[in-house]
Amino acid sequence: MTKKKNTILVCDDDKEIVDAIEIYLSQEGYRILKAYDGLQAVEMLEREDVQLLLIDIMMPKLDGLRATLKIREKSSIPIIILSAKSEDADKILGLNIGADDYVTKPFNPLELVARVKSQLRRYTKLGNAAGENQKIYQTGGLIMNDDLKEVTVDGEPVKLTPIEYNILLLLVKNQGKVFSISQIYESIWNEDAIGADNTVAVHIRHIREKIEINAKEPRYLKVVWGIGYKVEKL
């Protein structure tokens, strides 16, 4: 039986960059779709079965950040932002509105391929739900079913991106244990936590906005000042 190829949508208004990325990723066996502005990307995602999106920030018609915001209304596929700017502000804004990772241009092809593979592994894992001995973790009204990859708070379903899900799962499985930012980053991204503070903080804030009634006074996901984060055992 032939293994189905993962489909990646590459969106950048610079056709040379799109073509170069297509070469790198095709060599890894991925099927590539191409778009040249945010609007095209949004429309393509509505009619194609895509497993990952690579999207530039600065583009005509609809920029990458607004496109990401729009896509996140309906889809939780991994989104990697391609940014020509190395400023933290851009990257954090991208992560804050639902992107999973970013690559700064000019990028190293090997790094790009590694990040794509890492996000796809996480996403595939999230989608492969088995149903026998269901792994269910609970604290108060927060329930995580790790076989079905479902999260509910007080009976209401909560939609998390793959990265958000994995961070929350790490903390929920180890209730009461405090994890430093470096420990969280290294557990989830499987790489050294160099400059990880902002990345982790943005995802934590995102999770809180989704699972807490009042994100400023969290019941579940607590900060331990100067050390890290934990999920309370309730």
Side-chain angles (χ1 to χ4, degrees), residues 120-138:
L120 282 171
R121 264 198 311 274
R122 205 169 285 125
Y123 184 62
T124 310
K125 221 165 154 185
L126 203 59
N128 291 340
E132 286 169 24
N133 300 312
Q134 293 191 353
K135 297 188 198 111
I136 293 172
Y137 304 94
Q138 179 169 5

Side-chain angles (χ1 to χ4, degrees), residues 30-45:
Y30 299 117
R31 172 177 171 250
I32 308 300
L33 298 174
K34 300 188 271 190
Y36 303 103
D37 62 62
L39 209 54
Q40 267 186 1
V42 171
E43 287 168 358
M44 213 170 265
L45 281 169

Side-chain angles (χ1 to χ4, degrees), residues 9-44:
L9 174 57
V10 182
C11 181
D12 195 309
D13 60 335
D14 185 330
K15 289 184 169 59
E16 284 182 13
I17 286 177
V18 173
D19 290 344
I21 293 173
E22 181 182 25
I23 291 166
Y24 306 142
L25 295 178
S26 295
Q27 287 171 345
E28 298 295 323
Y30 299 117
R31 172 177 171 250
I32 308 300
L33 298 174
K34 300 188 271 190
Y36 303 103
D37 62 62
L39 209 54
Q40 267 186 1
V42 171
E43 287 168 358
M44 213 170 265

